[in-house]
Amino acid sequence: MSAAEEGGVFHRARGRTLDAFPAEKESEWKGPFYFILGADPQFGLMKAWSTGDCDNGGDEWEQEIRLTEQAVQAINRLNPKPKFFVLCGDLIHATPGKPWRTEQTEDLKRVLRTVDRAIPLVLVSGNHDIGNAPTAETVEEFCQTWGDDYFSFWVGGVLFLVLNSQFYQNPSQCPSLKQAQDQWLDEQLSIARQRHCQHAIVFQHIPLFLESIDEDDDDYFNLSKPTRKKLADKLIHAGVKVVFSGHYHRNAGGTYQNLDMVVSSAIGCQLGRDPHGLRVVVVTAEKIVHRYYSLDELSEKGIEGDLMDLIKKK
């Protein structure tokens, strides 16, 4: 049985946490570790993008299946094993109510069930997973299929927060759900301040910004200026060090005060010049170091020596 499967049921975050990481065992710093971050496997986008019909296209996804299989195989070969594998949203391309959604979901589940059972999966909701204007029904569908849309967990004294970024982009159809996440986040950030965790790290699909906190609103690839500033200030006040996102299908990012915004390119369809890839993230007592690898690089060469030295450092 793989880490993605438990008793024949796809493994999911429940109760706003991951049972793979019991808080009572993981709340204290234990030394350096690393995890793997991927984004946007988005089964179906490559065909849709190539035909110029992103709203209704996407009736083929063999390329994405092969790329995600390559990603999983590369991760399974890593030694030592990562603490977990996080996918930062847009798991599939077909939005709620669109054709091929069920088939894309089942194919992605099939691939993810081959992740090594010792490597838990952390799944983040994206706009294609719950819709650009999510409703209570689309959020519930995601939760039933993939697990909670927002939750927290501890690993070795580090607090990880998974957010539903669509609530910041367009909560018009589900304001009460957005309010519930806001209240929950305030509680989690209060815990981060009180517990003096080694680090606090956020995962969400849509970036706060692509390069600068003051950049123009994109209406799609970043959050609006007032929203991003309010959220960033709240995270900084609680000691959050870094936000990891996908969505852009290109590598990007910047720094606001002492908060790093890391935008990671896709496993699936590329919209820029980056290769299909994964990001290796090393967490030490002092810092968080990350590097993007193409799938071919990680498959053939593994993690480079300087990062391995950080992981093994006592």
Side-chain angles (χ1 to χ4, degrees):
M1 185 171 66
S2 74
E5 202 171 11
E6 188 176 65
V9 178
F10 199 74
H11 187 78
R12 297 183 285 261
R14 284 287 184 250
R16 303 300 176 200
T17 192
L18 277 176
D19 59 11
F21 299 108
E24 63 273 14
K25 296 181 180 180
E26 294 288 347
S27 59
E28 299 297 327
W29 178 251
K30 299 176 182 178
F33 64 90
Y34 81 104
F35 62 89
I36 300 295
L37 182 139
D40 302 274
Q42 204 159 343
F43 283 21
L45 176 59
M46 295 177 79
K47 171 68 178 296
W49 186 262
S50 70
T51 61
D53 187 4
C54 286
D55 289 334
N56 300 299
D59 59 342
E60 297 176 10
W61 50 91
E62 284 301 320
Q63 292 180 86
E64 287 96 338
I65 288 175
R66 290 195 298 271
L67 289 164
T68 308
E69 287 176 339
Q70 183 182 2
V72 169
Q73 291 163 7
I75 292 168
N76 286 346
R77 284 196 290 266
L78 294 173
N79 184 27
K81 296 186 184 302
K83 283 288 187 178
F84 58 86
F85 171 32
V86 56
L87 278 173
C88 269
D90 276 3
L91 307 178
I92 60 172
H93 181 63
T95 53
K98 292 290 186 179
W100 311 299
R101 184 170 172 84
T102 299
E103 293 85 353
Q104 289 173 4
T105 297
E106 290 307 313
D107 279 346
L108 180 57
K109 281 187 174 185
R110 176 178 54 78
V111 176
L112 292 181
R113 286 192 180 103
T114 65
V115 174
D116 189 295
R117 63 183 300 175
I119 306 172
L121 284 167
V122 177
L123 301 176
V124 182
S125 63
N127 58 301
H128 280 262
D129 304 314
I130 60 175
N132 289 317
T135 66
E137 291 74 22
T138 64
V139 172
E140 178 61 21
E141 181 200 352
F142 178 89
C143 292
Q144 290 298 321
T145 303
W146 299 110
D148 286 350
D149 57 322
Y150 61 91
F151 54 96
S152 65
F153 59 99
W154 291 82
V155 177
V158 177
L159 177 61
F160 292 92
L161 302 171
V162 174
L163 301 182
N164 182 339
S165 58
Q166 215 55 37
F167 290 160
Y168 300 116
Q169 189 80 318
N170 186 355
S172 60
Q173 302 302 307
C174 54
S176 63
L177 296 184
K178 194 264 187 187
Q179 184 179 14
Q181 179 178 258
D182 287 345
Q183 180 179 346
W184 172 88
L185 179 59
D186 287 344
E187 293 168 355
Q188 294 298 310
L189 295 178
S190 178
I191 291 171
R193 289 191 297 270
Q194 295 169 10
R195 295 279 293 273
H196 301 290
C197 52
Q198 196 72 30
H199 302 288
I201 295 172
V202 168
F203 300 125
Q204 61 185 57
H205 180 60
I206 300 177
L208 299 172
F209 54 87
L210 300 175
E211 295 180 351
S212 168
I213 193 74
D214 296 316
E215 70 195 20
D216 291 339
D217 295 356
D218 181 87
D219 294 328
Y220 187 80
F221 282 121
N222 59 15
L223 298 182
S224 70
K225 282 186 179 180
T227 299
R228 82 173 74 125
K229 182 70 161 49
K230 181 179 179 180
L231 180 55
D233 287 342
K234 181 184 293 190
L235 297 178
I236 290 168
H237 180 65
V240 173
K241 301 288 183 66
V242 59
V243 176
F244 288 101
S245 294
H247 188 55
Y248 193 44
H249 294 257
R250 286 152 283 198
N251 287 313
T255 301
Y256 169 56
Q257 296 183 23
N258 59 347
L259 177 69
D260 288 335
M261 178 67 249
V262 180
V263 185
S264 207
S265 197
I267 292 173
C269 187
Q270 297 297 317
L271 303 186
R273 297 182 177 181
D274 297 298
H276 308 282
L278 294 165
R279 190 171 298 271
V280 175
V281 185
V282 179
V283 182
T284 74
E286 298 82 21
K287 58 187 176 180
I288 300 160
V289 181
H290 53 89
R291 188 171 300 160
Y292 188 81
Y293 286 83
S294 73
L295 296 182
D296 290 340
E297 286 175 325
L298 197 61
S299 298
E300 296 167 7
K301 300 178 181 178
I303 300 173
E304 291 167 293
D306 60 329
L307 294 185
M308 290 299 295
D309 289 342
L310 291 175
I311 295 167
K312 296 175 180 179
K313 185 178 179 182
K314 299 298 181 182

